Amino acid sequence: MSWLTNYVRPKLQGLAGKRDIPQNLWEKCPSCGAMIYHRELEQNAQICTQCNHHFRLTVKQRLDILFDDARYDEIELPEVKEDPLDFADLKSYPDRLKSARKQTGRPDAMTVASGTMEGQKAVAGVMDFSFMGGSMGTAFGEAFITATELAALQDAAFVMVTASGGARMQEGILSLMQMARTTLAVRKLKEKGLPYIVLLTDPTTGGVSASFAMLGDIAVAEPGALIGFAGARVIEQTIRAQLPEGFQRAEYLRSHGMVDMVVDRRQLRHTLGTLIDLLRRPVSDKPY
Amino acid sequence: MDQEAYLDFEKNIAEIDERIEGLRHVTGSDDDFDLDEEVSGLEKKLEKILDQTYAKLTPWQKTQVARHPKRPHCLDYINGLITDFQLLAGDRLFGEDEAVVGGIGRFRGRSVVVIGQEKGNDIETRLKHNFGMAKPEGYRKAVRLMKLADQFNMPVLTFVDTAGAYPGLEGEERGQAEAIASSIDACFSVGVPIVATVIGEGGSGGAIAIAVANRILMLEHSVYSVISPEGCASILWRDGQEAQKAAEALRLTAQDLKDLGVIDDIIAEPRGGAHRNPTEAVLKTGEAISGALADFNDMTREQIRREREEKFLKMTRAE
Ligand SMILES: [Zn+2]
């Protein structure tokens, strides 16, 4: 079973990754309600052992799964002007940023890393839904552009892992402009002939879905991931009707022609590696 | 003007309008001269009040003006500025979405492609154009027309006026997100100049889908925002009634966007807003578009494309 060997990584790495002991030793599956021991979840790529529900991942868990032997280099990202609009709602934007940073230990909602996937050179961008809903602001835009430029520099594929509720309202129109800027970055990457693979994870909506997330050469989605433009509540209000079962889920998008494949997380790295290999080496040197 | 024409902060304007109209209806008496004098006095007063009111509109008031039902809409601009206009329908994939109006015609003698959202002016036309809220077909038609523009070397004029893309079931089924993303991408692809004008409401992704342009213009009292003030208020203030506060915080006015380096120019509106004199608003917009297009007369297709890319690469980056 190739996916198994591909998934199992050195034990040492797994131990090092879980330095912080989870507060809850048991986690409740949001899909089937089963209580699962955290170690069991960890060994199963954070997938429910009962119903196959894919739990949301932390950035570190995601990067560990994506790259060979959980080895990768995180890239330093450009700094941007903080709080460009001097925005405050019930809380000030700097306060919201501060607490998100404290909670996630990361400067903003995007992390960029480079390494290999099944031996294929790749740069990965990973969005963090726990950082202000994975919202896209100017920091994200610059990070995304940096990631595509790095891929070009390293002659590597770019794998973008999305998880976002959309644009960052606290940056107003500046966040909306990131839809254009990220789309431009994708365009430049494609001009260089480098593969752009999007991995859509739970949830991917709003301005993120309506820009770079839907422009992959190949679109891969995780099982059960919520993917769409408008929020389900807004749609229900508009059409005054209940939405069908499975609406805006990965499988729904696949059957409506919006994504290429829905891939089990345990096979993900193998799939990505194969895709990159196929796209980048038109003639195989392996015996056939 | 009928009552629909007045916004909640225009009570005194409505009053004077009514008095002027009333006086004009009085006919045949001897003291016409006195009446004329009274009318012209009121008109002076009205001008002053209009100037004062419209010089210091709050962001929320601007939002209301931008959505004013009597404001000139996309088709008014097409009728006023484009000759030989040929409406082109359909995305060649699924259907025709009349929320997006598109076609070819002549702008000051030159063949152009026009793409814009049309909100409609009465119940019938509002329904026909789905209140300017486009479905995937609308954006895919925009993509098709941009390719046409590119193929025949015609500049693209877009008129942005939408509360946002249509948030419905069918839109999601047919890939609203992909359609918008592809429309943004198509804007980057063409070797002809694109001039986008926000004529009313620039609502989020549904607006930027056709506003990735070499020159972005906004009418003086139009707005352009990542989310509606009401939507923002209900999420961040957990109270849709706080739209006024959200409108301030979002920095969505033409003046804000100019300061933020997101748009190039502001088109001055007639006294009391475009809805008080649509013809003048349309003509001034024509002047501004003409000026913007002239910048590209001596540029090659590659230069035009590159100019647009550089503009967006630099945009939102601190100096
Ligand atoms: Zn489960």
Side-chain angles (χ1 to χ4, degrees), chain A residues 202 204-205 224-233 235 243-253 256, chain B residues 168-169 172-173:
Chain A
D202 188 56
T204 299
T205 61
L226 178 82
I227 305 156
F229 178 64
R233 228 176 320 152
I235 298 171
L243 294 166
E245 178 81 15
F247 178 67
Q248 288 185 329
R249 296 290 165 184
E251 298 74 14
Y252 173 96
L253 267 86
H256 283 83
Chain B
L169 177 68
E172 297 293 315
E173 274 178 335

Short mmCIF file of all heavy atoms in Angstrom, two decimals, chain A residues 202 204-205 224-233 235 243-253 256, chain B residues 168-169 172-173:
data_model
loop_
_atom_site.label_atom_id
_atom_site.label_comp_id
_atom_site.label_asym_id
_atom_site.label_seq_id
_atom_site.Cartn_x
_atom_site.Cartn_y
_atom_site.Cartn_z
N ASP A 202 -11.20 22.84 4.35
CA ASP A 202 -12.36 23.37 5.06
C ASP A 202 -11.98 24.56 5.93
O ASP A 202 -11.09 24.43 6.76
CB ASP A 202 -12.94 22.24 5.93
CG ASP A 202 -14.26 22.62 6.55
OD1 ASP A 202 -15.18 23.00 5.81
OD2 ASP A 202 -14.37 22.56 7.80
N THR A 204 -13.31 27.17 2.58
CA THR A 204 -12.76 28.14 1.62
C THR A 204 -13.92 28.88 0.96
O THR A 204 -14.64 28.31 0.15
CB THR A 204 -11.90 27.43 0.54
OG1 THR A 204 -10.81 26.77 1.20
CG2 THR A 204 -11.35 28.43 -0.46
N THR A 205 -14.10 30.13 1.35
CA THR A 205 -15.25 30.89 0.83
C THR A 205 -14.88 32.34 0.52
O THR A 205 -13.75 32.77 0.74
CB THR A 205 -16.40 30.91 1.87
OG1 THR A 205 -15.94 31.54 3.05
CG2 THR A 205 -16.90 29.51 2.19
N GLY A 224 -15.24 16.50 2.32
CA GLY A 224 -16.14 17.21 3.22
C GLY A 224 -15.89 18.70 3.36
O GLY A 224 -16.64 19.38 4.04
N ALA A 225 -14.83 19.21 2.72
CA ALA A 225 -14.50 20.63 2.88
C ALA A 225 -15.62 21.51 2.34
O ALA A 225 -16.19 21.24 1.29
CB ALA A 225 -13.19 20.95 2.14
N LEU A 226 -15.92 22.57 3.09
CA LEU A 226 -16.90 23.55 2.63
C LEU A 226 -16.21 24.52 1.67
O LEU A 226 -15.21 25.15 2.03
CB LEU A 226 -17.46 24.32 3.83
CG LEU A 226 -18.47 25.41 3.48
CD1 LEU A 226 -19.84 24.81 3.29
CD2 LEU A 226 -18.50 26.48 4.57
N ILE A 227 -16.71 24.60 0.46
CA ILE A 227 -16.10 25.46 -0.56
C ILE A 227 -17.21 26.20 -1.30
O ILE A 227 -18.14 25.57 -1.80
CB ILE A 227 -15.28 24.62 -1.57
CG1 ILE A 227 -14.24 23.75 -0.86
CG2 ILE A 227 -14.59 25.54 -2.60
CD1 ILE A 227 -13.81 22.53 -1.66
N GLY A 228 -17.12 27.51 -1.36
CA GLY A 228 -18.15 28.24 -2.09
C GLY A 228 -17.88 29.72 -2.08
O GLY A 228 -16.94 30.19 -1.43
N PHE A 229 -18.70 30.46 -2.77
CA PHE A 229 -18.54 31.92 -2.78
C PHE A 229 -19.35 32.55 -1.66
O PHE A 229 -18.82 33.13 -0.73
CB PHE A 229 -18.93 32.48 -4.14
CG PHE A 229 -18.83 33.97 -4.21
CD1 PHE A 229 -17.60 34.60 -4.07
CD2 PHE A 229 -19.96 34.77 -4.39
CE1 PHE A 229 -17.49 35.99 -4.11
CE2 PHE A 229 -19.86 36.15 -4.43
CZ PHE A 229 -18.63 36.76 -4.28
N ALA A 230 -20.66 32.42 -1.73
CA ALA A 230 -21.52 33.05 -0.72
C ALA A 230 -21.74 32.11 0.45
O ALA A 230 -21.73 30.89 0.28
CB ALA A 230 -22.85 33.43 -1.36
N GLY A 231 -21.94 32.67 1.61
CA GLY A 231 -22.22 31.87 2.79
C GLY A 231 -23.61 31.26 2.72
O GLY A 231 -24.52 31.83 2.13
N ALA A 232 -23.74 30.07 3.31
CA ALA A 232 -25.01 29.34 3.24
C ALA A 232 -26.17 30.16 3.82
O ALA A 232 -27.27 30.15 3.29
CB ALA A 232 -24.89 28.01 3.97
N ARG A 233 -25.91 30.91 4.89
CA ARG A 233 -26.98 31.67 5.52
C ARG A 233 -27.48 32.78 4.60
O ARG A 233 -28.68 33.01 4.47
CB ARG A 233 -26.52 32.25 6.86
CG ARG A 233 -27.53 31.99 7.97
CD ARG A 233 -27.03 32.49 9.32
NE ARG A 233 -25.61 32.22 9.50
CZ ARG A 233 -24.81 32.98 10.27
NH1 ARG A 233 -25.26 34.04 10.87
NH2 ARG A 233 -23.52 32.65 10.40
N ILE A 235 -27.34 32.80 1.39
CA ILE A 235 -28.08 32.18 0.27
C ILE A 235 -29.48 31.80 0.71
O ILE A 235 -30.46 32.06 0.01
CB ILE A 235 -27.32 30.95 -0.27
CG1 ILE A 235 -25.95 31.36 -0.80
CG2 ILE A 235 -28.13 30.24 -1.36
CD1 ILE A 235 -25.05 30.21 -1.15
N LEU A 243 -31.15 24.69 1.86
CA LEU A 243 -30.19 24.24 0.87
C LEU A 243 -30.09 22.71 0.89
O LEU A 243 -30.29 22.08 1.92
CB LEU A 243 -28.83 24.87 1.16
CG LEU A 243 -28.87 26.39 0.96
CD1 LEU A 243 -27.66 27.06 1.58
CD2 LEU A 243 -28.95 26.72 -0.52
N PRO A 244 -29.77 22.13 -0.26
CA PRO A 244 -29.72 20.67 -0.33
C PRO A 244 -28.59 20.09 0.53
O PRO A 244 -27.61 20.76 0.82
CB PRO A 244 -29.49 20.39 -1.81
CG PRO A 244 -28.94 21.64 -2.38
CD PRO A 244 -29.50 22.75 -1.57
N GLU A 245 -28.77 18.86 0.90
CA GLU A 245 -27.78 18.12 1.68
C GLU A 245 -26.44 18.11 0.92
O GLU A 245 -26.41 17.88 -0.28
CB GLU A 245 -28.31 16.68 1.87
CG GLU A 245 -27.41 15.73 2.62
CD GLU A 245 -27.52 15.92 4.13
OE1 GLU A 245 -28.47 16.56 4.59
OE2 GLU A 245 -26.62 15.43 4.83
N GLY A 246 -25.37 18.40 1.64
CA GLY A 246 -24.06 18.34 1.02
C GLY A 246 -23.72 19.55 0.17
O GLY A 246 -22.68 19.59 -0.49
N PHE A 247 -24.56 20.56 0.19
CA PHE A 247 -24.34 21.78 -0.58
C PHE A 247 -23.00 22.41 -0.23
O PHE A 247 -22.64 22.51 0.93
CB PHE A 247 -25.48 22.76 -0.28
CG PHE A 247 -25.37 24.08 -0.97
CD1 PHE A 247 -25.48 24.18 -2.35
CD2 PHE A 247 -25.15 25.25 -0.24
CE1 PHE A 247 -25.39 25.40 -2.98
CE2 PHE A 247 -25.07 26.47 -0.86
CZ PHE A 247 -25.18 26.56 -2.24
N GLN A 248 -22.26 22.81 -1.26
CA GLN A 248 -20.96 23.48 -1.10
C GLN A 248 -19.90 22.60 -0.44
O GLN A 248 -18.90 23.11 0.03
CB GLN A 248 -21.09 24.79 -0.31
CG GLN A 248 -21.78 25.90 -1.10
CD GLN A 248 -21.80 27.23 -0.35
OE1 GLN A 248 -21.84 27.24 0.87
NE2 GLN A 248 -21.78 28.33 -1.08
N ARG A 249 -20.12 21.31 -0.40
CA ARG A 249 -19.08 20.43 0.11
C ARG A 249 -18.20 19.97 -1.05
O ARG A 249 -18.62 20.02 -2.21
CB ARG A 249 -19.69 19.21 0.82
CG ARG A 249 -20.49 19.56 2.06
CD ARG A 249 -19.57 20.03 3.19
NE ARG A 249 -20.33 20.69 4.24
CZ ARG A 249 -19.78 21.27 5.31
NH1 ARG A 249 -18.46 21.27 5.45
NH2 ARG A 249 -20.52 21.85 6.22
N ALA A 250 -17.01 19.48 -0.73
CA ALA A 250 -16.03 19.11 -1.76
C ALA A 250 -16.63 18.18 -2.81
O ALA A 250 -16.42 18.37 -4.02
CB ALA A 250 -14.82 18.47 -1.10
N GLU A 251 -17.41 17.20 -2.35
CA GLU A 251 -17.98 16.20 -3.26
C GLU A 251 -19.00 16.85 -4.20
O GLU A 251 -19.11 16.47 -5.37
CB GLU A 251 -18.63 15.07 -2.45
CG GLU A 251 -17.64 14.29 -1.56
CD GLU A 251 -17.17 15.05 -0.31
OE1 GLU A 251 -17.78 16.08 0.03
OE2 GLU A 251 -16.17 14.62 0.30
N TYR A 252 -19.72 17.83 -3.65
CA TYR A 252 -20.69 18.59 -4.44
C TYR A 252 -19.96 19.39 -5.53
O TYR A 252 -20.38 19.42 -6.69
CB TYR A 252 -21.45 19.53 -3.49
CG TYR A 252 -22.40 20.53 -4.09
CD1 TYR A 252 -23.77 20.26 -4.19
CD2 TYR A 252 -21.95 21.78 -4.51
CE1 TYR A 252 -24.65 21.20 -4.71
CE2 TYR A 252 -22.82 22.73 -5.03
CZ TYR A 252 -24.17 22.43 -5.13
OH TYR A 252 -25.03 23.36 -5.63
N LEU A 253 -18.85 20.00 -5.16
CA LEU A 253 -18.09 20.76 -6.14
C LEU A 253 -17.54 19.85 -7.23
O LEU A 253 -17.51 20.22 -8.40
CB LEU A 253 -16.95 21.54 -5.48
CG LEU A 253 -17.38 22.96 -5.12
CD1 LEU A 253 -18.05 23.00 -3.77
CD2 LEU A 253 -16.23 23.92 -5.20
N HIS A 256 -20.23 18.97 -9.57
CA HIS A 256 -20.62 20.13 -10.38
C HIS A 256 -19.48 20.65 -11.26
O HIS A 256 -19.57 21.74 -11.82
CB HIS A 256 -21.16 21.25 -9.49
CG HIS A 256 -22.56 20.98 -9.01
ND1 HIS A 256 -22.82 20.18 -7.92
CD2 HIS A 256 -23.75 21.36 -9.49
CE1 HIS A 256 -24.13 20.10 -7.75
NE2 HIS A 256 -24.72 20.79 -8.69
N GLY B 168 -26.93 33.16 -4.66
CA GLY B 168 -28.03 32.19 -4.76
C GLY B 168 -27.52 30.78 -5.02
O GLY B 168 -26.33 30.55 -5.23
N LEU B 169 -28.45 29.87 -4.99
CA LEU B 169 -28.11 28.46 -5.16
C LEU B 169 -27.52 28.18 -6.54
O LEU B 169 -26.48 27.55 -6.68
CB LEU B 169 -29.39 27.63 -4.95
CG LEU B 169 -29.29 26.13 -5.15
CD1 LEU B 169 -28.43 25.49 -4.07
CD2 LEU B 169 -30.67 25.48 -5.13
N GLU B 172 -23.93 29.23 -7.10
CA GLU B 172 -22.95 28.34 -6.49
C GLU B 172 -22.81 27.06 -7.32
O GLU B 172 -21.71 26.57 -7.55
CB GLU B 172 -23.36 27.98 -5.07
CG GLU B 172 -23.41 29.17 -4.13
CD GLU B 172 -22.06 29.81 -3.84
OE1 GLU B 172 -21.10 29.09 -3.59
OE2 GLU B 172 -21.97 31.05 -3.88
N GLU B 173 -23.95 26.55 -7.77
CA GLU B 173 -23.94 25.33 -8.59
C GLU B 173 -23.08 25.49 -9.83
O GLU B 173 -22.41 24.57 -10.26
CB GLU B 173 -25.37 25.01 -9.07
CG GLU B 173 -26.19 24.22 -8.11
CD GLU B 173 -27.62 23.99 -8.63
OE1 GLU B 173 -28.11 24.80 -9.45
OE2 GLU B 173 -28.23 23.02 -8.21
#
